[in-house]
Amino acid sequence: PGDRALAAAWASIARLAPELILYRPVPNTAGLHALAMEIIAESGLPYAVWIMDDWPAALEIRDAEQFSALDADWRKLVAGAARRFAISDEMADAFEKRYGARFMPIANGVDPLEWPLQEKCASDRFVIRYAGSLAENMTLSTIALVAEAVERLADGGADIAFEIKTRPIWKRRAADLFSRFKHTSFFTDDLTAADYRAWLQRADATGNP
């Protein structure tokens, strides 16, 4: 970020007067990462780090130079953090072995009051629904395996369907891979938060890997 952006960021922080910092580092954001490191170092505030997937391992294979720079920062952050959060027990254990510090598993939370019971689809068909990205380095292969399994079950006589809600860019990128599946469909319409929750709840099975 330029000097004006840095000054604006510090002014916003001063107005907010935070008591702590939660930082979730990701690759390919050099400017924002540099700003975050500066804020953490100069503010003197306690901070926690949160990591959602093992991007360091993927980055080491894809971009060794960027990995080297970020790995040094990441290890420094891990060592000085008041708390370290990972997405699952397995990831927390793996990161503890790798970085020598304890990570706390914490997944996305929901407010039960926002998820009242919904009637299932008015059909005997077993409906599986997934909402999310179809990134090649994250979810695409897993979702394709689900589609393959649904196709085989349907070919064997099961009344089953797989519905994928995603963004147009992911649908376009996955079009060739999924074109052979007759029992998998996509939609990219925006839904309100309430409609989204109802759409998931009315499925027979859901997933968000």
Side-chain angles (χ1 to χ4, degrees):
D3 291 342
R4 292 181 63 184
L6 288 172
W10 278 109
S12 295
I13 292 168
R15 288 194 298 271
L16 180 63
E19 296 179 358
L20 55 86
I21 296 170
L22 174 62
Y23 180 40
R24 178 189 167 193
V26 293
N28 306 317
T29 56
L32 288 174
H33 174 68
L35 175 60
M37 293 296 291
E38 178 182 321
I39 291 169
I40 288 170
E42 296 189 14
S43 69
L45 292 169
Y47 67 90
V49 290
W50 180 30
I51 187 164
M52 292 285 287
D53 55 78
D54 195 358
W55 60 259
L59 186 64
E60 185 175 16
I61 297 170
R62 178 173 56 83
D63 188 338
E65 182 177 355
Q66 185 184 177
F67 166 78
S68 180
L70 282 178
D71 184 59
D73 282 351
W74 173 236
R75 289 178 182 275
K76 182 179 179 180
L77 289 168
V78 168
R83 291 289 187 275
R84 306 159 198 88
F85 300 116
I87 196 66
S88 66
D89 291 329
E90 293 80 4
M91 180 177 282
D93 291 343
F95 283 170
E96 181 174 359
K97 293 176 182 177
R98 185 188 302 174
Y99 300 114
R102 182 59 186 159
F103 282 75
M104 180 184 298
I106 180 169
N108 296 328
V110 299
D111 182 348
L113 295 178
E114 294 182 342
W115 294 80
L117 292 177
Q118 301 281 345
E119 294 291 333
K120 292 292 191 294
C121 298
S123 169
D124 292 333
R125 175 170 296 169
F126 190 91
V127 178
I128 303 170
R129 288 175 172 167
Y130 164 74
S133 73
L134 295 170
E136 291 183 359
N137 65 342
M138 293 179 63
T139 54
L140 180 60
S141 295
T142 299
I143 299 305
L145 285 174
V146 175
E148 178 72 39
V150 167
E151 201 71 13
R152 292 183 180 182
L153 289 169
D155 288 346
D159 189 4
I160 187 170
F162 186 26
E163 298 176 3
I164 298 172
K165 182 191 180 321
T166 192
R167 295 189 179 279
I169 187 173
W170 298 122
K171 180 182 177 182
R172 290 195 301 272
R173 290 181 179 180
D176 290 343
L177 179 60
F178 284 80
S179 61
R180 62 191 177 93
F181 299 130
K182 300 177 182 177
H183 301 276
T184 293
S185 59
F186 288 82
F187 81 97
T188 59
D189 297 341
D190 289 332
L191 297 176
T192 66
D195 287 343
Y196 171 72
R197 291 191 290 266
W199 178 77
L200 285 176
Q201 285 183 282
R202 288 175 180 143
D204 296 288
T206 61
N208 192 356

